[in-house]
Amino acid sequence: MTTLTHRARRMEVGKNSEKKVESEEDTNQDRSSDNEDSGDSKDIRLTLMEEVLLLGLKDKEVLLKSDSPTGDVLLDETLKHIKATEPTETVQTWIELLTGETWNPFKLQYQLRNVRERIAKNLVEKGILTTEKQNFLLFDMTTHPVTNTTEKQRLVKKIQDSVLERWVNDPQRMDKRTLALLVLAHSSDVLENVFSSLTDDKYDVAMNRAKDLVELDPEVEGTKHSATEMIWAVLAAFNKS
């Protein structure tokens, strides 16, 4: 399936040069997309985990290739566990261990503690969320309402555009970070939040395209040229869980 941009190109270029022009412009589009992502929010840089948590929060509701340090506490803690483990574990096993989805008395040290709360605190420090106390009859609960709705909407629009305006119908040509975010958002059941503001017809298109993407065979996609194997390994692990 082609994008509106591709349709416009076909009208502007001659048939003989069509493939060459499309190839060159697709490359430029991918580069400009990467540049846009890095320049969208110069003051606020979010990790993928922070973006997924933010997508799961409603505005008016409260609710290894390298083991080098990343500067993110949770990621560095994860890398430390993975590096220290012999024999090596599978991606699915690590996801289960780190998220607490499986209970193994011999591997309790690998379970990350209070992940959601720690990510939320990171977003508080970056000015995206705030911290409040709410009284629920017999006890008080710490909550983190969204305060920076501009940043939230920027992220929502980025994902909406990735499956509507910039859809290339080929995961190997997608921006890798956006692909990873779509996979994680799907696995975390927050994609509906992302697309809920769309009109009915656009909502259907967005959901169907996202569904087509996450229903691809991870084993096949992960072996293709230029594929990011870890993204597909994570999708495969979530599909099996």
Side-chain angles (χ1 to χ4, degrees), residues 157-169:
K157 187 175 187 304
K158 171 185 172 181
I159 300 181
Q160 290 177 350
D161 286 349
S162 72
V163 294
L164 292 174
E165 305 301 328
R166 300 179 185 174
W167 184 246
V168 292
N169 201 30

Side-chain angles (χ1 to χ4, degrees), residues 65-116:
K65 288 188 176 181
S66 171
D67 57 6
S68 301
T70 65
D72 181 274
V73 175
L74 279 170
L75 291 179
D76 288 343
E77 187 176 330
T78 301
L79 289 172
K80 182 180 178 181
H81 287 323
I82 293 174
K83 183 180 179 181
T85 303
E86 291 291 344
T88 58
E89 300 283 3
T90 64
V91 172
Q92 182 171 358
T93 298
W94 273 117
I95 289 176
E96 292 172 349
L97 287 173
L98 295 170
T99 58
E101 292 299 323
T102 186
W103 191 84
N104 186 330
F106 300 104
K107 296 184 177 181
L108 292 178
Q109 71 272 25
Y110 297 133
Q111 293 185 359
L112 298 181
R113 308 297 180 187
N114 305 316
V115 173
R116 182 184 176 90

Side-chain angles (χ1 to χ4, degrees), residues 2-217:
T2 59
T3 63
L4 295 176
T5 303
H6 288 170
R7 295 193 188 102
R9 289 197 197 109
R10 291 194 179 94
M11 296 175 64
E12 294 171 359
V13 301
K15 292 183 179 179
N16 292 335
S17 61
E18 181 180 273
K19 291 184 178 180
K20 180 179 178 181
V21 172
E22 286 188 359
S23 177
E24 291 175 350
E25 294 196 0
D26 283 344
T27 300
N28 292 335
Q29 184 181 27
D30 291 340
R31 289 175 180 171
S32 63
S33 176
D34 291 342
N35 291 336
E36 282 185 16
D37 289 342
S38 62
D40 274 341
S41 184
K42 295 180 180 179
D43 297 329
I44 303 174
R45 294 296 180 88
L46 305 183
T47 66
L48 280 171
M49 291 188 293
E50 290 168 357
E51 289 181 339
V52 173
L53 177 61
L54 182 57
L55 290 173
L57 296 174
K58 295 182 179 179
D59 293 346
K60 296 184 179 180
E61 289 188 10
V62 181
L63 301 175
L64 259 171
K65 288 188 176 181
S66 171
D67 57 6
S68 301
T70 65
D72 181 274
V73 175
L74 279 170
L75 291 179
D76 288 343
E77 187 176 330
T78 301
L79 289 172
K80 182 180 178 181
H81 287 323
I82 293 174
K83 183 180 179 181
T85 303
E86 291 291 344
T88 58
E89 300 283 3
T90 64
V91 172
Q92 182 171 358
T93 298
W94 273 117
I95 289 176
E96 292 172 349
L97 287 173
L98 295 170
T99 58
E101 292 299 323
T102 186
W103 191 84
N104 186 330
F106 300 104
K107 296 184 177 181
L108 292 178
Q109 71 272 25
Y110 297 133
Q111 293 185 359
L112 298 181
R113 308 297 180 187
N114 305 316
V115 173
R116 182 184 176 90
E117 180 65 19
R118 290 163 72 183
I119 296 174
K121 286 183 177 178
N122 288 343
L123 290 172
V124 170
E125 292 176 0
K126 294 178 179 181
I128 308 297
L129 308 181
T130 189
T131 301
E132 293 181 356
K133 291 283 188 180
Q134 283 204 352
N135 182 268
F136 291 89
L137 297 179
L138 300 178
F139 59 91
D140 291 334
M141 179 178 289
T142 300
T143 58
H144 299 287
V146 177
T147 55
N148 188 336
T149 57
T150 299
E151 183 65 19
K152 169 75 176 289
Q153 290 306 312
R154 182 198 68 79
L155 180 58
V156 168
K157 187 175 187 304
K158 171 185 172 181
I159 300 181
Q160 290 177 350
D161 286 349
S162 72
V163 294
L164 292 174
E165 305 301 328
R166 300 179 185 174
W167 184 246
V168 292
N169 201 30
D170 181 359
Q172 308 306 328
R173 295 168 57 203
M174 291 183 67
D175 168 63
K176 302 306 181 186
R177 184 182 176 85
T178 302
L179 175 61
L181 185 54
L182 281 168
V183 167
L184 291 174
H186 161 72
S187 302
S188 303
D189 293 325
V190 298
L191 270 184
E192 189 169 353
N193 286 355
V194 178
F195 300 142
S196 61
S197 62
L198 296 171
T199 59
D200 289 346
D201 55 339
K202 288 187 176 181
Y203 174 88
D204 290 339
V205 171
M207 289 297 290
N208 287 333
R209 288 177 175 175
K211 181 180 178 182
D212 289 343
L213 176 65
V214 298
E215 288 185 350
L216 292 171
D217 187 340

